[in-house]
Amino acid sequence: PLSKSLEKSLKDLNLIKIDSNPGTEFNPDLHDAVMVEGEGEKEIIEETLRPGYYYESEVLRPAMVKVKRES
């Protein structure tokens, strides 16, 4: 499948996918929140809209995410 081939190519280029799975705590250094819902202090990723990647320990592109605030 294309996704397996893409993953292998990214790994060969030393690109590492940023963790932006639903339930992950929002980190503004790694994630770009384009939608925020709810109220509260805790910010949790609800959905990944575009994956982000590291390259040699630097953020190449932050993950674009939808965030849910909760208390």
Side-chain angles (χ1 to χ4, degrees):
L2 178 63
S3 62
K4 293 290 183 187
S5 173
L6 178 60
E7 284 180 35
K8 182 181 180 329
S9 295
L10 292 174
K11 187 175 181 178
D12 291 344
L13 294 169
N14 294 322
L15 291 173
I16 301 168
K17 193 173 183 180
I18 293 173
D19 182 12
S20 60
N21 294 321
T24 303
E25 189 171 334
F26 174 74
N27 179 340
D29 295 328
L30 305 176
H31 308 115
D32 183 15
V34 294
M35 287 187 267
V36 179
E37 294 180 344
E39 296 194 19
E41 293 187 21
K42 192 172 186 182
E43 296 178 319
I44 304 297
I45 294 173
E46 187 172 30
E47 182 182 353
T48 301
L49 305 173
R50 183 188 74 194
Y53 297 94
Y54 292 109
Y55 177 72
E56 296 183 359
S57 302
E58 296 283 330
V59 175
L60 181 64
R61 177 176 84 178
M64 186 185 299
V65 297
K66 179 178 176 182
V67 173
K68 181 169 104 177
R69 287 188 177 145
E70 48 189 48
S71 39

